PDB file of all heavy atoms in Angstrom:
ATOM      1  N   ILE A   1      96.430  84.639  66.583  1.00  0.00           N
ATOM      2  CA  ILE A   1      95.966  83.691  65.561  1.00  0.00           C
ATOM      3  C   ILE A   1      97.155  83.125  64.792  1.00  0.00           C
ATOM      4  O   ILE A   1      97.237  81.920  64.546  1.00  0.00           O
ATOM      5  CB  ILE A   1      94.956  84.367  64.598  1.00  0.00           C
ATOM      6  CG1 ILE A   1      93.682  84.718  65.331  1.00  0.00           C
ATOM      7  CG2 ILE A   1      94.704  83.524  63.379  1.00  0.00           C
ATOM      8  CD1 ILE A   1      92.528  83.798  65.191  1.00  0.00           C
ATOM      9  N   ILE A   2      98.097  83.984  64.407  1.00  0.00           N
ATOM     10  CA  ILE A   2      99.282  83.505  63.683  1.00  0.00           C
ATOM     11  C   ILE A   2     100.103  82.565  64.557  1.00  0.00           C
ATOM     12  O   ILE A   2     100.554  81.504  64.104  1.00  0.00           O
ATOM     13  CB  ILE A   2     100.124  84.696  63.177  1.00  0.00           C
ATOM     14  CG1 ILE A   2      99.363  85.421  62.066  1.00  0.00           C
ATOM     15  CG2 ILE A   2     101.489  84.247  62.691  1.00  0.00           C
ATOM     16  CD1 ILE A   2      99.982  86.731  61.634  1.00  0.00           C
ATOM     17  N   LEU A   3     100.270  82.915  65.829  1.00  0.00           N
ATOM     18  CA  LEU A   3     100.986  82.048  66.762  1.00  0.00           C
ATOM     19  C   LEU A   3     100.283  80.703  66.900  1.00  0.00           C
ATOM     20  O   LEU A   3     100.925  79.645  66.907  1.00  0.00           O
ATOM     21  CB  LEU A   3     101.116  82.733  68.119  1.00  0.00           C
ATOM     22  CG  LEU A   3     101.871  81.991  69.208  1.00  0.00           C
ATOM     23  CD1 LEU A   3     103.305  81.707  68.791  1.00  0.00           C
ATOM     24  CD2 LEU A   3     101.841  82.791  70.497  1.00  0.00           C
ATOM     25  N   ASN A   4      98.957  80.727  66.973  1.00  0.00           N
ATOM     26  CA  ASN A   4      98.188  79.489  67.087  1.00  0.00           C
ATOM     27  C   ASN A   4      98.353  78.632  65.840  1.00  0.00           C
ATOM     28  O   ASN A   4      98.475  77.404  65.934  1.00  0.00           O
ATOM     29  CB  ASN A   4      96.717  79.800  67.329  1.00  0.00           C
ATOM     30  CG  ASN A   4      95.965  78.617  67.889  1.00  0.00           C
ATOM     31  OD1 ASN A   4      96.551  77.656  68.363  1.00  0.00           O
ATOM     32  ND2 ASN A   4      94.669  78.687  67.834  1.00  0.00           N
ATOM     33  N   LEU A   5      98.368  79.257  64.667  1.00  0.00           N
ATOM     34  CA  LEU A   5      98.565  78.497  63.435  1.00  0.00           C
ATOM     35  C   LEU A   5      99.933  77.823  63.411  1.00  0.00           C
ATOM     36  O   LEU A   5     100.061  76.674  62.980  1.00  0.00           O
ATOM     37  CB  LEU A   5      98.381  79.402  62.217  1.00  0.00           C
ATOM     38  CG  LEU A   5      96.951  79.848  61.950  1.00  0.00           C
ATOM     39  CD1 LEU A   5      96.916  80.850  60.797  1.00  0.00           C
ATOM     40  CD2 LEU A   5      96.053  78.662  61.653  1.00  0.00           C
ATOM     41  N   PHE A   6     100.960  78.529  63.869  1.00  0.00           N
ATOM     42  CA  PHE A   6     102.288  77.916  63.943  1.00  0.00           C
ATOM     43  C   PHE A   6     102.323  76.778  64.952  1.00  0.00           C
ATOM     44  O   PHE A   6     102.970  75.757  64.726  1.00  0.00           O
ATOM     45  CB  PHE A   6     103.362  78.953  64.290  1.00  0.00           C
ATOM     46  CG  PHE A   6     103.799  79.762  63.111  1.00  0.00           C
ATOM     47  CD1 PHE A   6     103.685  81.142  63.136  1.00  0.00           C
ATOM     48  CD2 PHE A   6     104.310  79.168  61.966  1.00  0.00           C
ATOM     49  CE1 PHE A   6     104.079  81.912  62.050  1.00  0.00           C
ATOM     50  CE2 PHE A   6     104.712  79.916  60.871  1.00  0.00           C
ATOM     51  CZ  PHE A   6     104.585  81.294  60.915  1.00  0.00           C
ATOM     52  N   LEU A   7     101.629  76.943  66.062  1.00  0.00           N
ATOM     53  CA  LEU A   7     101.610  75.893  67.075  1.00  0.00           C
ATOM     54  C   LEU A   7     100.865  74.652  66.604  1.00  0.00           C
ATOM     55  O   LEU A   7     101.078  73.560  67.134  1.00  0.00           O
ATOM     56  CB  LEU A   7     101.005  76.418  68.377  1.00  0.00           C
ATOM     57  CG  LEU A   7     101.908  77.345  69.176  1.00  0.00           C
ATOM     58  CD1 LEU A   7     101.151  77.939  70.350  1.00  0.00           C
ATOM     59  CD2 LEU A   7     103.141  76.622  69.650  1.00  0.00           C
ATOM     60  N   PHE A   8     100.000  74.788  65.614  1.00  0.00           N
ATOM     61  CA  PHE A   8      99.295  73.627  65.074  1.00  0.00           C
ATOM     62  C   PHE A   8     100.202  72.724  64.256  1.00  0.00           C
ATOM     63  O   PHE A   8      99.770  71.660  63.798  1.00  0.00           O
ATOM     64  CB  PHE A   8      98.071  74.040  64.259  1.00  0.00           C
ATOM     65  CG  PHE A   8      96.799  73.977  65.045  1.00  0.00           C
ATOM     66  CD1 PHE A   8      96.145  75.128  65.417  1.00  0.00           C
ATOM     67  CD2 PHE A   8      96.266  72.763  65.435  1.00  0.00           C
ATOM     68  CE1 PHE A   8      94.971  75.085  66.153  1.00  0.00           C
ATOM     69  CE2 PHE A   8      95.108  72.693  66.184  1.00  0.00           C
ATOM     70  CZ  PHE A   8      94.459  73.851  66.539  1.00  0.00           C
ATOM     71  N   LEU A   9     101.458  73.111  64.068  1.00  0.00           N
ATOM     72  CA  LEU A   9     102.408  72.168  63.463  1.00  0.00           C
ATOM     73  C   LEU A   9     102.535  70.930  64.342  1.00  0.00           C
ATOM     74  O   LEU A   9     102.763  69.823  63.858  1.00  0.00           O
ATOM     75  CB  LEU A   9     103.767  72.836  63.247  1.00  0.00           C
ATOM     76  CG  LEU A   9     103.784  73.938  62.188  1.00  0.00           C
ATOM     77  CD1 LEU A   9     105.130  74.642  62.181  1.00  0.00           C
ATOM     78  CD2 LEU A   9     103.445  73.386  60.816  1.00  0.00           C
ATOM     79  N   ILE A  10     102.402  71.129  65.644  1.00  0.00           N
ATOM     80  CA  ILE A  10     102.261  70.029  66.599  1.00  0.00           C
ATOM     81  C   ILE A  10     100.837  70.169  67.151  1.00  0.00           C
ATOM     82  O   ILE A  10     100.577  71.052  67.969  1.00  0.00           O
ATOM     83  CB  ILE A  10     103.310  70.124  67.729  1.00  0.00           C
ATOM     84  CG1 ILE A  10     104.711  70.097  67.138  1.00  0.00           C
ATOM     85  CG2 ILE A  10     103.106  68.986  68.736  1.00  0.00           C
ATOM     86  CD1 ILE A  10     105.809  70.385  68.115  1.00  0.00           C
ATOM     87  N   PRO A  11      99.908  69.335  66.669  1.00  0.00           N
ATOM     88  CA  PRO A  11      98.478  69.543  66.967  1.00  0.00           C
ATOM     89  C   PRO A  11      98.152  69.698  68.455  1.00  0.00           C
ATOM     90  O   PRO A  11      97.281  70.486  68.805  1.00  0.00           O
ATOM     91  CB  PRO A  11      97.818  68.295  66.380  1.00  0.00           C
ATOM     92  CG  PRO A  11      98.727  67.874  65.298  1.00  0.00           C
ATOM     93  CD  PRO A  11     100.108  68.206  65.774  1.00  0.00           C
ATOM     94  N   PHE A  12      98.855  68.982  69.322  1.00  0.00           N
ATOM     95  CA  PHE A  12      98.576  69.096  70.749  1.00  0.00           C
ATOM     96  C   PHE A  12      98.779  70.527  71.241  1.00  0.00           C
ATOM     97  O   PHE A  12      97.959  71.057  71.981  1.00  0.00           O
ATOM     98  CB  PHE A  12      99.459  68.124  71.541  1.00  0.00           C
ATOM     99  CG  PHE A  12      99.295  68.240  73.018  1.00  0.00           C
ATOM    100  CD1 PHE A  12      98.163  67.744  73.646  1.00  0.00           C
ATOM    101  CD2 PHE A  12     100.259  68.858  73.792  1.00  0.00           C
ATOM    102  CE1 PHE A  12      97.997  67.850  75.013  1.00  0.00           C
ATOM    103  CE2 PHE A  12     100.106  68.971  75.163  1.00  0.00           C
ATOM    104  CZ  PHE A  12      98.971  68.462  75.776  1.00  0.00           C
ATOM    105  N   PHE A  13      99.872  71.155  70.819  1.00  0.00           N
ATOM    106  CA  PHE A  13     100.158  72.521  71.254  1.00  0.00           C
ATOM    107  C   PHE A  13      99.152  73.512  70.669  1.00  0.00           C
ATOM    108  O   PHE A  13      98.752  74.475  71.325  1.00  0.00           O
ATOM    109  CB  PHE A  13     101.581  72.927  70.886  1.00  0.00           C
ATOM    110  CG  PHE A  13     102.628  72.168  71.642  1.00  0.00           C
ATOM    111  CD1 PHE A  13     103.729  71.660  70.984  1.00  0.00           C
ATOM    112  CD2 PHE A  13     102.519  71.952  73.003  1.00  0.00           C
ATOM    113  CE1 PHE A  13     104.704  70.954  71.671  1.00  0.00           C
ATOM    114  CE2 PHE A  13     103.479  71.251  73.707  1.00  0.00           C
ATOM    115  CZ  PHE A  13     104.577  70.748  73.030  1.00  0.00           C
ATOM    116  N   GLY A  14      98.755  73.285  69.433  1.00  0.00           N
ATOM    117  CA  GLY A  14      97.761  74.152  68.815  1.00  0.00           C
ATOM    118  C   GLY A  14      96.426  74.091  69.532  1.00  0.00           C
ATOM    119  O   GLY A  14      95.792  75.108  69.790  1.00  0.00           O
ATOM    120  N   LEU A  15      95.995  72.868  69.865  1.00  0.00           N
ATOM    121  CA  LEU A  15      94.736  72.710  70.596  1.00  0.00           C
ATOM    122  C   LEU A  15      94.829  73.323  71.986  1.00  0.00           C
ATOM    123  O   LEU A  15      93.882  73.938  72.469  1.00  0.00           O
ATOM    124  CB  LEU A  15      94.364  71.235  70.696  1.00  0.00           C
ATOM    125  CG  LEU A  15      93.851  70.574  69.432  1.00  0.00           C
ATOM    126  CD1 LEU A  15      93.695  69.074  69.638  1.00  0.00           C
ATOM    127  CD2 LEU A  15      92.538  71.188  68.995  1.00  0.00           C
ATOM    128  N   LEU A  16      95.972  73.145  72.625  1.00  0.00           N
ATOM    129  CA  LEU A  16      96.164  73.699  73.956  1.00  0.00           C
ATOM    130  C   LEU A  16      96.157  75.229  73.930  1.00  0.00           C
ATOM    131  O   LEU A  16      95.601  75.866  74.832  1.00  0.00           O
ATOM    132  CB  LEU A  16      97.489  73.185  74.532  1.00  0.00           C
ATOM    133  CG  LEU A  16      97.606  73.046  76.017  1.00  0.00           C
ATOM    134  CD1 LEU A  16      96.490  72.169  76.551  1.00  0.00           C
ATOM    135  CD2 LEU A  16      98.938  72.431  76.380  1.00  0.00           C
ATOM    136  N   PHE A  17      96.735  75.817  72.878  1.00  0.00           N
ATOM    137  CA  PHE A  17      96.798  77.275  72.789  1.00  0.00           C
ATOM    138  C   PHE A  17      95.442  77.879  72.432  1.00  0.00           C
ATOM    139  O   PHE A  17      95.241  79.084  72.599  1.00  0.00           O
ATOM    140  CB  PHE A  17      97.856  77.714  71.777  1.00  0.00           C
ATOM    141  CG  PHE A  17      98.172  79.180  71.845  1.00  0.00           C
ATOM    142  CD1 PHE A  17      98.902  79.687  72.902  1.00  0.00           C
ATOM    143  CD2 PHE A  17      97.728  80.055  70.871  1.00  0.00           C
ATOM    144  CE1 PHE A  17      99.186  81.035  72.989  1.00  0.00           C
ATOM    145  CE2 PHE A  17      98.007  81.405  70.945  1.00  0.00           C
ATOM    146  CZ  PHE A  17      98.744  81.898  72.003  1.00  0.00           C
ATOM    147  N   MET A  18      94.508  77.061  71.955  1.00  0.00           N
ATOM    148  CA  MET A  18      93.171  77.585  71.652  1.00  0.00           C
ATOM    149  C   MET A  18      92.465  78.079  72.917  1.00  0.00           C
ATOM    150  O   MET A  18      91.601  78.945  72.844  1.00  0.00           O
ATOM    151  CB  MET A  18      92.321  76.518  70.955  1.00  0.00           C
ATOM    152  CG  MET A  18      92.665  76.337  69.499  1.00  0.00           C
ATOM    153  SD  MET A  18      91.694  75.071  68.705  1.00  0.00           S
ATOM    154  CE  MET A  18      90.134  75.910  68.518  1.00  0.00           C
ATOM    155  N   ILE A  19      92.859  77.549  74.073  1.00  0.00           N
ATOM    156  CA  ILE A  19      92.227  77.963  75.333  1.00  0.00           C
ATOM    157  C   ILE A  19      92.553  79.428  75.656  1.00  0.00           C
ATOM    158  O   ILE A  19      91.638  80.235  75.839  1.00  0.00           O
ATOM    159  CB  ILE A  19      92.611  77.005  76.478  1.00  0.00           C
ATOM    160  CG1 ILE A  19      92.074  75.604  76.185  1.00  0.00           C
ATOM    161  CG2 ILE A  19      92.090  77.520  77.815  1.00  0.00           C
ATOM    162  CD1 ILE A  19      92.613  74.527  77.089  1.00  0.00           C
ATOM    163  N   PRO A  20      93.853  79.818  75.736  1.00  0.00           N
ATOM    164  CA  PRO A  20      94.112  81.241  76.012  1.00  0.00           C
ATOM    165  C   PRO A  20      93.670  82.155  74.864  1.00  0.00           C
ATOM    166  O   PRO A  20      93.230  83.281  75.105  1.00  0.00           O
ATOM    167  CB  PRO A  20      95.622  81.317  76.224  1.00  0.00           C
ATOM    168  CG  PRO A  20      96.180  80.048  75.756  1.00  0.00           C
ATOM    169  CD  PRO A  20      95.091  79.037  75.756  1.00  0.00           C
ATOM    170  N   LEU A  21      93.743  81.667  73.627  1.00  0.00           N
ATOM    171  CA  LEU A  21      93.258  82.473  72.502  1.00  0.00           C
ATOM    172  C   LEU A  21      91.771  82.760  72.658  1.00  0.00           C
ATOM    173  O   LEU A  21      91.330  83.902  72.498  1.00  0.00           O
ATOM    174  CB  LEU A  21      93.520  81.747  71.177  1.00  0.00           C
ATOM    175  CG  LEU A  21      92.901  82.382  69.929  1.00  0.00           C
ATOM    176  CD1 LEU A  21      93.519  83.737  69.654  1.00  0.00           C
ATOM    177  CD2 LEU A  21      93.050  81.466  68.737  1.00  0.00           C
ATOM    178  N   GLY A  22      91.005  81.747  72.993  1.00  0.00           N
ATOM    179  CA  GLY A  22      89.569  81.928  73.194  1.00  0.00           C
ATOM    180  C   GLY A  22      89.277  82.859  74.361  1.00  0.00           C
ATOM    181  O   GLY A  22      88.369  83.688  74.290  1.00  0.00           O
ATOM    182  N   ALA A  23      90.048  82.725  75.434  1.00  0.00           N
ATOM    183  CA  ALA A  23      89.839  83.595  76.596  1.00  0.00           C
ATOM    184  C   ALA A  23      90.115  85.056  76.234  1.00  0.00           C
ATOM    185  O   ALA A  23      89.339  85.950  76.603  1.00  0.00           O
ATOM    186  CB  ALA A  23      90.732  83.148  77.745  1.00  0.00           C
ATOM    187  N   VAL A  24      91.196  85.303  75.517  1.00  0.00           N
ATOM    188  CA  VAL A  24      91.523  86.677  75.102  1.00  0.00           C
ATOM    189  C   VAL A  24      90.435  87.220  74.183  1.00  0.00           C
ATOM    190  O   VAL A  24      90.014  88.372  74.315  1.00  0.00           O
ATOM    191  CB  VAL A  24      92.911  86.719  74.410  1.00  0.00           C
ATOM    192  CG1 VAL A  24      93.136  88.041  73.704  1.00  0.00           C
ATOM    193  CG2 VAL A  24      94.011  86.473  75.422  1.00  0.00           C
ATOM    194  N   GLN A  25      89.939  86.371  73.282  1.00  0.00           N
ATOM    195  CA  GLN A  25      88.911  86.841  72.358  1.00  0.00           C
ATOM    196  C   GLN A  25      87.590  87.127  73.070  1.00  0.00           C
ATOM    197  O   GLN A  25      86.892  88.074  72.719  1.00  0.00           O
ATOM    198  CB  GLN A  25      88.717  85.834  71.224  1.00  0.00           C
ATOM    199  CG  GLN A  25      89.861  85.881  70.242  1.00  0.00           C
ATOM    200  CD  GLN A  25      89.646  85.002  69.041  1.00  0.00           C
ATOM    201  OE1 GLN A  25      88.873  84.051  69.075  1.00  0.00           O
ATOM    202  NE2 GLN A  25      90.339  85.324  67.972  1.00  0.00           N
ATOM    203  N   VAL A  26      87.251  86.333  74.065  1.00  0.00           N
ATOM    204  CA  VAL A  26      86.023  86.604  74.819  1.00  0.00           C
ATOM    205  C   VAL A  26      86.165  87.908  75.605  1.00  0.00           C
ATOM    206  O   VAL A  26      85.232  88.726  75.640  1.00  0.00           O
ATOM    207  CB  VAL A  26      85.668  85.421  75.747  1.00  0.00           C
ATOM    208  CG1 VAL A  26      84.613  85.808  76.763  1.00  0.00           C
ATOM    209  CG2 VAL A  26      85.195  84.228  74.927  1.00  0.00           C
ATOM    210  N   VAL A  27      87.319  88.132  76.212  1.00  0.00           N
ATOM    211  CA  VAL A  27      87.543  89.387  76.937  1.00  0.00           C
ATOM    212  C   VAL A  27      87.474  90.573  75.975  1.00  0.00           C
ATOM    213  O   VAL A  27      86.840  91.595  76.272  1.00  0.00           O
ATOM    214  CB  VAL A  27      88.897  89.356  77.691  1.00  0.00           C
ATOM    215  CG1 VAL A  27      89.293  90.732  78.200  1.00  0.00           C
ATOM    216  CG2 VAL A  27      88.836  88.368  78.841  1.00  0.00           C
ATOM    217  N   CYS A  28      88.094  90.435  74.801  1.00  0.00           N
ATOM    218  CA  CYS A  28      88.035  91.509  73.797  1.00  0.00           C
ATOM    219  C   CYS A  28      86.600  91.732  73.328  1.00  0.00           C
ATOM    220  O   CYS A  28      86.182  92.866  73.108  1.00  0.00           O
ATOM    221  CB  CYS A  28      88.925  91.172  72.606  1.00  0.00           C
ATOM    222  SG  CYS A  28      90.674  91.339  72.922  1.00  0.00           S
ATOM    223  N   SER A  29      85.857  90.653  73.173  1.00  0.00           N
ATOM    224  CA  SER A  29      84.467  90.761  72.737  1.00  0.00           C
ATOM    225  C   SER A  29      83.619  91.470  73.792  1.00  0.00           C
ATOM    226  O   SER A  29      82.761  92.287  73.459  1.00  0.00           O
ATOM    227  CB  SER A  29      83.906  89.374  72.443  1.00  0.00           C
ATOM    228  OG  SER A  29      82.659  89.446  71.839  1.00  0.00           O
ATOM    229  N   LEU A  30      83.870  91.166  75.053  1.00  0.00           N
ATOM    230  CA  LEU A  30      83.150  91.855  76.128  1.00  0.00           C
ATOM    231  C   LEU A  30      83.544  93.330  76.194  1.00  0.00           C
ATOM    232  O   LEU A  30      82.706  94.197  76.436  1.00  0.00           O
ATOM    233  CB  LEU A  30      83.399  91.160  77.468  1.00  0.00           C
ATOM    234  CG  LEU A  30      82.768  89.775  77.611  1.00  0.00           C
ATOM    235  CD1 LEU A  30      83.252  89.103  78.888  1.00  0.00           C
ATOM    236  CD2 LEU A  30      81.259  89.864  77.581  1.00  0.00           C
ATOM    237  N   TRP A  31      84.819  93.624  75.967  1.00  0.00           N
ATOM    238  CA  TRP A  31      85.263  95.015  75.916  1.00  0.00           C
ATOM    239  C   TRP A  31      84.581  95.738  74.758  1.00  0.00           C
ATOM    240  O   TRP A  31      84.135  96.886  74.902  1.00  0.00           O
ATOM    241  CB  TRP A  31      86.778  95.099  75.771  1.00  0.00           C
ATOM    242  CG  TRP A  31      87.254  96.516  75.614  1.00  0.00           C
ATOM    243  CD1 TRP A  31      87.437  97.431  76.608  1.00  0.00           C
ATOM    244  CD2 TRP A  31      87.542  97.189  74.393  1.00  0.00           C
ATOM    245  NE1 TRP A  31      87.845  98.634  76.071  1.00  0.00           N
ATOM    246  CE2 TRP A  31      87.915  98.505  74.706  1.00  0.00           C
ATOM    247  CE3 TRP A  31      87.542  96.802  73.060  1.00  0.00           C
ATOM    248  CZ2 TRP A  31      88.273  99.435  73.742  1.00  0.00           C
ATOM    249  CZ3 TRP A  31      87.892  97.734  72.106  1.00  0.00           C
ATOM    250  CH2 TRP A  31      88.255  99.033  72.453  1.00  0.00           C
ATOM    251  N   LEU A  32      84.486  95.060  73.617  1.00  0.00           N
ATOM    252  CA  LEU A  32      83.823  95.650  72.457  1.00  0.00           C
ATOM    253  C   LEU A  32      82.345  95.895  72.745  1.00  0.00           C
ATOM    254  O   LEU A  32      81.770  96.882  72.284  1.00  0.00           O
ATOM    255  CB  LEU A  32      83.984  94.728  71.252  1.00  0.00           C
ATOM    256  CG  LEU A  32      83.605  95.259  69.886  1.00  0.00           C
ATOM    257  CD1 LEU A  32      84.423  96.504  69.563  1.00  0.00           C
ATOM    258  CD2 LEU A  32      83.831  94.198  68.846  1.00  0.00           C
ATOM    259  N   LEU A  33      81.750  95.023  73.540  1.00  0.00           N
ATOM    260  CA  LEU A  33      80.367  95.219  73.940  1.00  0.00           C
ATOM    261  C   LEU A  33      80.225  96.465  74.809  1.00  0.00           C
ATOM    262  O   LEU A  33      79.213  97.167  74.740  1.00  0.00           O
ATOM    263  CB  LEU A  33      79.872  93.976  74.684  1.00  0.00           C
ATOM    264  CG  LEU A  33      78.381  93.795  74.855  1.00  0.00           C
ATOM    265  CD1 LEU A  33      77.712  93.672  73.498  1.00  0.00           C
ATOM    266  CD2 LEU A  33      78.099  92.553  75.679  1.00  0.00           C
ATOM    267  N   SER A  34      81.243  96.762  75.615  1.00  0.00           N
ATOM    268  CA  SER A  34      81.199  97.965  76.449  1.00  0.00           C
ATOM    269  C   SER A  34      81.364  99.241  75.610  1.00  0.00           C
ATOM    270  O   SER A  34      81.002 100.321  76.058  1.00  0.00           O
ATOM    271  CB  SER A  34      82.272  97.910  77.535  1.00  0.00           C
ATOM    272  OG  SER A  34      83.554  98.129  76.978  1.00  0.00           O
ATOM    273  N   GLN A  35      81.905  99.104  74.414  1.00  0.00           N
ATOM    274  CA  GLN A  35      82.071 100.235  73.494  1.00  0.00           C
ATOM    275  C   GLN A  35      80.895 100.312  72.520  1.00  0.00           C
ATOM    276  O   GLN A  35      81.048 100.683  71.367  1.00  0.00           O
ATOM    277  CB  GLN A  35      83.377 100.075  72.696  1.00  0.00           C
ATOM    278  CG  GLN A  35      84.607  99.936  73.528  1.00  0.00           C
ATOM    279  CD  GLN A  35      84.895 101.198  74.315  1.00  0.00           C
ATOM    280  OE1 GLN A  35      84.797 102.300  73.790  1.00  0.00           O
ATOM    281  NE2 GLN A  35      85.243 101.035  75.576  1.00  0.00           N
ATOM    282  N   TYR A  36      79.727  99.953  72.998  1.00  0.00           N
ATOM    283  CA  TYR A  36      78.538  99.761  72.168  1.00  0.00           C
ATOM    284  C   TYR A  36      78.196 100.978  71.320  1.00  0.00           C
ATOM    285  O   TYR A  36      77.908 100.857  70.136  1.00  0.00           O
ATOM    286  CB  TYR A  36      77.360  99.387  73.077  1.00  0.00           C
ATOM    287  CG  TYR A  36      76.192  98.786  72.365  1.00  0.00           C
ATOM    288  CD1 TYR A  36      76.236  97.468  71.927  1.00  0.00           C
ATOM    289  CD2 TYR A  36      75.042  99.520  72.135  1.00  0.00           C
ATOM    290  CE1 TYR A  36      75.164  96.900  71.271  1.00  0.00           C
ATOM    291  CE2 TYR A  36      73.959  98.965  71.485  1.00  0.00           C
ATOM    292  CZ  TYR A  36      74.028  97.654  71.053  1.00  0.00           C
ATOM    293  OH  TYR A  36      72.970  97.103  70.396  1.00  0.00           O
ATOM    294  N   LYS A  37      78.242 102.151  71.893  1.00  0.00           N
ATOM    295  CA  LYS A  37      77.831 103.364  71.173  1.00  0.00           C
ATOM    296  C   LYS A  37      78.864 103.806  70.145  1.00  0.00           C
ATOM    297  O   LYS A  37      78.531 104.526  69.206  1.00  0.00           O
ATOM    298  CB  LYS A  37      77.557 104.492  72.158  1.00  0.00           C
ATOM    299  CG  LYS A  37      76.374 104.192  73.048  1.00  0.00           C
ATOM    300  CD  LYS A  37      75.923 105.412  73.791  1.00  0.00           C
ATOM    301  CE  LYS A  37      74.906 104.976  74.814  1.00  0.00           C
ATOM    302  NZ  LYS A  37      73.594 105.412  74.545  1.00  0.00           N
ATOM    303  N   ARG A  38      80.102 103.376  70.293  1.00  0.00           N
ATOM    304  CA  ARG A  38      81.160 103.773  69.361  1.00  0.00           C
ATOM    305  C   ARG A  38      81.241 102.878  68.138  1.00  0.00           C
ATOM    306  O   ARG A  38      81.981 103.183  67.209  1.00  0.00           O
ATOM    307  CB  ARG A  38      82.510 103.757  70.076  1.00  0.00           C
ATOM    308  CG  ARG A  38      82.638 104.839  71.116  1.00  0.00           C
ATOM    309  CD  ARG A  38      83.983 104.831  71.774  1.00  0.00           C
ATOM    310  NE  ARG A  38      85.053 104.906  70.787  1.00  0.00           N
ATOM    311  CZ  ARG A  38      86.299 104.550  71.034  1.00  0.00           C
ATOM    312  NH1 ARG A  38      86.631 104.093  72.218  1.00  0.00           N
ATOM    313  NH2 ARG A  38      87.220 104.639  70.096  1.00  0.00           N
ATOM    314  N   THR A  39      80.515 101.751  68.142  1.00  0.00           N
ATOM    315  CA  THR A  39      80.608 100.812  67.028  1.00  0.00           C
ATOM    316  C   THR A  39      79.344 100.880  66.173  1.00  0.00           C
ATOM    317  O   THR A  39      78.280 101.278  66.637  1.00  0.00           O
ATOM    318  CB  THR A  39      80.804  99.370  67.536  1.00  0.00           C
ATOM    319  OG1 THR A  39      79.735  99.049  68.430  1.00  0.00           O
ATOM    320  CG2 THR A  39      82.128  99.216  68.257  1.00  0.00           C
ATOM    321  N   SER A  40      79.494 100.451  64.932  1.00  0.00           N
ATOM    322  CA  SER A  40      78.352 100.468  64.013  1.00  0.00           C
ATOM    323  C   SER A  40      77.391  99.328  64.353  1.00  0.00           C
ATOM    324  O   SER A  40      77.737  98.391  65.076  1.00  0.00           O
ATOM    325  CB  SER A  40      78.832 100.323  62.567  1.00  0.00           C
ATOM    326  OG  SER A  40      79.384  99.036  62.370  1.00  0.00           O
ATOM    327  N   SER A  41      76.204  99.413  63.798  1.00  0.00           N
ATOM    328  CA  SER A  41      75.191  98.389  64.096  1.00  0.00           C
ATOM    329  C   SER A  41      75.590  97.021  63.562  1.00  0.00           C
ATOM    330  O   SER A  41      75.271  96.000  64.164  1.00  0.00           O
ATOM    331  CB  SER A  41      73.833  98.809  63.533  1.00  0.00           C
ATOM    332  OG  SER A  41      73.907  98.949  62.134  1.00  0.00           O
ATOM    333  N   SER A  42      76.302  96.974  62.431  1.00  0.00           N
ATOM    334  CA  SER A  42      76.726  95.672  61.903  1.00  0.00           C
ATOM    335  C   SER A  42      77.744  95.012  62.830  1.00  0.00           C
ATOM    336  O   SER A  42      77.686  93.801  63.064  1.00  0.00           O
ATOM    337  CB  SER A  42      77.295  95.818  60.492  1.00  0.00           C
ATOM    338  OG  SER A  42      78.464  96.602  60.500  1.00  0.00           O
ATOM    339  N   ILE A  43      78.660  95.795  63.379  1.00  0.00           N
ATOM    340  CA  ILE A  43      79.643  95.229  64.312  1.00  0.00           C
ATOM    341  C   ILE A  43      78.965  94.826  65.612  1.00  0.00           C
ATOM    342  O   ILE A  43      79.298  93.792  66.190  1.00  0.00           O
ATOM    343  CB  ILE A  43      80.804  96.218  64.548  1.00  0.00           C
ATOM    344  CG1 ILE A  43      81.645  96.306  63.282  1.00  0.00           C
ATOM    345  CG2 ILE A  43      81.657  95.804  65.739  1.00  0.00           C
ATOM    346  CD1 ILE A  43      82.783  97.259  63.349  1.00  0.00           C
TER     347      ILE A  43
END
């Protein structure tokens, strides 16, 4: 996220970096879904 914010100094690079950021976050979200029993109900 911090890297993406710095890349938004040049908007094209910031928008372009949103793609791998989103992919990493979706993978992390799916991993978090696999840890279903270890997380609280709010999470």
